[in-house]
Amino acid sequence: MAELPKRSDDFRSVLMDVSVVGAGHVGLVTGACFADLGHSVVMMDNDARRIAKLKRGIMPYYEPGLEELVERGVREHRLHFTTSMKDAVAKSTIIFIAVGTPQKASGEADLAYVDTVARAIAEHLDGYRLIVEKSTVPVQTGQWVAHTIKTYLKRKHVFDVASNPEFLREGTAIQDFMKPDRVVIGVQSVRAKRLLIELYKPLGAPIVVTDMNSAELIKHASNSFLSMKISFINAVAQVCERCGADVEQVAAGMGLDPRIGRAFLNAGAGFGGFCFPKDLEAFIKISEQLGYNFELLKAVRNINEEQKRSFAIKIQQALWVVKHKTIGVLGLAFKPNTDDMRYAPAIDVIKYLQEEGATVQAFDPQAHHEATTLLPGVSLCRTAYDAARGADCLAVLTEWNEFKELDFRRIKALMRQPLIVDGRNIYDPQRLKSLGFRYLGVGRGRVGSGHRGPV
Ligand code: UDX
């Protein structure tokens, strides 16, 4: 479990009335954290069932530490839940918009929820408010939000719009909020700037103040850059496999250069989650609409698609034929410490294997609920050992800590063939080989076809 920050009595700041619209991953963490900093927070969502559950302390998703934080906020009367926009507007000075911006079939971000919320805020506005977009949005959305509110205002009121992108990672969202590397605020007025600086001052992080368009771009550019690092190392891994080098050693050697850095250079079965694939696509699209063909990002996306496919093919080649074979899968979530399976590489890999006629049995510590709907043909096991039972191959797709400490003698005895295909490079190849396993990682020595140099 993540270590919770102590109740924040030592933080000194002017306490404010804040509303957060949208109780999703970003909104709920944002609201719960602001409440913990001492502010009075109204969490608004139009999903009545979600709000009713939150009032009873039931979280809509798993995030380490969140339940305790929400419980504390509610108990100490700083965190309130509502389905009423009127309430949310009435009881706040600063309103955060944290609703979803899902991907349209075309790849661009669907901003319908943001538009609806902007219109609803306009309808209830009764005096000055600062409206802050927290959702990840394409550049120029803030300008549209301001225009929309102005258009739908019932009476003339002064308001500000600002952009304050989030950089929360699932699984460590609370620490990311409480101890950010930086806080980015894109503002159009001194009043908005002062309010946001006051709000974030207690966190002690560098505050980057920009115009709205730049703040919006910082978010898309950052996520795309990180995706690019992953695709880069995955492409290097492909070369490693063709020449017998080890990508882990290559990444370690590269990462020591502070201009490069070791973070996000972990090769594997590709990146997933609700941010990287979606933001990458949206950034490609908005660049296109602005008249720029962002070829580099298209390559980042294509390498990622190919990485998932090539991982499935690696399993297939190791087994010669996968039809009627049993594949045990360890990990379904798109990364550890979350139950989130949105765009998880496990989905594509498993679907490929199923299409080839394999039987798939899987274990994930948190994601079974999601897997039931997303992967109906997969039997979900109670433990990692059950996933290994009778399997011809054990494939690792999420690097949960508990998978690092398995009893491999037991695993070997349970499997039909001692083959481990490690899509997150969590095991020591030598150790597994010495225990009698056939081990294939990603970018760790020679596999498959391609150029065969001297051995
Ligand atoms: C990301 C950003 O990190 C965060 O700043 C932003 O606000 C939201 O998007 P998140 O999607 O929660 O956060 O996960 P992250 O830890 O960044 O990982 C994303 C994906 O990349 C995962 O599938 C992960 O397995 C993969 N990954 C990450 C790699 O394959 N290799 C790496 O080196 C790092």
Side-chain angles (χ1 to χ4, degrees), residues 140-454:
Q140 294 175 338
T141 301
Q143 291 174 1
W144 275 108
V145 169
H147 172 80
T148 306
I149 294 176
K150 208 168 164 189
T151 310
Y152 287 86
L153 264 184
K154 284 200 163 151
R155 261 187 229 112
K156 215 169 176 300
H157 291 295
V158 180
F159 69 93
D160 274 313
V161 173
S163 161
N164 168 223
E166 53 82 20
F167 302 99
L168 310 176
R169 289 162 300 175
E170 287 180 30
T172 55
I174 290 164
Q175 282 95 327
D176 290 345
F177 186 97
M178 292 296 195
K179 294 189 171 75
D181 303 319
R182 81 295 204 191
V183 172
V184 175
I185 56 176
V187 287
Q188 286 177 310
S189 80
V190 175
R191 189 172 185 181
K193 177 179 153 182
R194 284 208 185 118
L195 276 171
L196 285 173
I197 288 181
E198 195 58 52
L199 188 68
Y200 279 108
K201 204 168 58 183
L203 299 182
I207 299 182
V208 183
V209 183
T210 67
D211 59 85
M212 273 206 302
N213 284 345
S214 303
E216 289 165 340
L217 268 183
I218 287 172
K219 172 69 194 221
H220 265 153
S222 299
N223 272 1
S224 300
F225 188 87
L226 291 170
S227 315
M228 180 184 74
K229 275 188 97 174
I230 303 170
S231 275
F232 182 87
I233 202 68
N234 281 335
V236 172
Q238 292 286 344
V239 177
C240 287
E241 291 183 0
R242 287 162 174 79
C243 69
D246 183 344
V247 74
E248 294 297 317
Q249 295 178 23
V250 176
M254 288 171 65
L256 283 171
D257 183 333
R259 292 170 302 175
I260 299 174
R262 177 63 183 79
F264 283 74
L265 283 184
N266 295 320
F271 60 77
F274 201 54
C275 289
F276 283 177
K278 178 174 78 83
D279 293 354
L280 192 60
E281 213 57 56
F283 199 22
I284 292 172
K285 209 68 202 175
I286 187 78
S287 305
E288 212 167 274
Q289 286 164 0
L290 293 167
Y292 180 68
N293 177 12
F294 216 143
E295 288 279 13
L296 177 62
L297 296 188
K298 291 181 182 171
V300 170
R301 169 189 64 196
N302 297 344
I303 291 169
N304 196 49
E305 289 310 306
E306 184 50 34
Q307 196 66 9
K308 293 183 272 184
R309 216 175 80 86
S310 92
F311 183 77
I313 290 173
K314 188 177 288 180
I315 295 173
Q316 187 179 26
Q317 287 180 344
L319 289 171
W320 182 40
V321 171
V322 287
K323 194 165 186 176
H324 304 315
K325 301 249 167 80
T326 301
I327 316 289
V329 170
L330 295 185
L332 297 168
F334 83 95
K335 67 175 200 173
N337 301 320
T338 175
D339 59 355
D340 196 343
M341 279 191 65
R342 291 176 296 179
Y343 297 93
I347 299 174
D348 291 2
V349 171
I350 289 174
K351 284 196 171 153
Y352 180 95
L353 294 168
Q354 286 178 321
E355 275 161 24
E356 292 297 316
T359 300
V360 179
Q361 53 193 36
F363 169 70
D364 187 284
Q366 292 289 343
H368 285 193
H369 181 66
E370 294 234 342
T372 318
T373 29
L374 287 169
L375 292 166
V378 173
S379 30
L380 299 169
C381 305
R382 284 180 43 243
T383 66
Y385 298 100
D386 288 340
R389 196 181 305 277
D392 296 282
C393 166
L394 196 58
V396 180
L397 281 162
T398 318
E399 65 276 33
W400 285 94
N401 268 339
E402 67 178 83
F403 299 156
K404 296 175 185 164
E405 287 144 21
L406 295 173
D407 175 352
F408 284 103
R409 285 178 217 283
R410 188 172 160 206
I411 294 274
K412 185 161 177 262
L414 285 168
M415 292 181 73
R416 192 183 292 143
Q417 300 187 48
L419 168 66
I420 292 188
V421 185
D422 181 359
R424 297 292 162 197
N425 287 353
I426 60 174
Y427 298 128
D428 173 1
Q430 294 316 322
R431 179 163 172 257
L432 287 190
K433 280 175 195 160
S434 71
L435 289 169
F437 284 96
R438 191 174 161 214
Y439 174 86
L440 296 173
V442 175
R444 304 176 106 177
R446 198 186 301 280
V447 281
S449 54
H451 169 72
R452 293 187 180 274

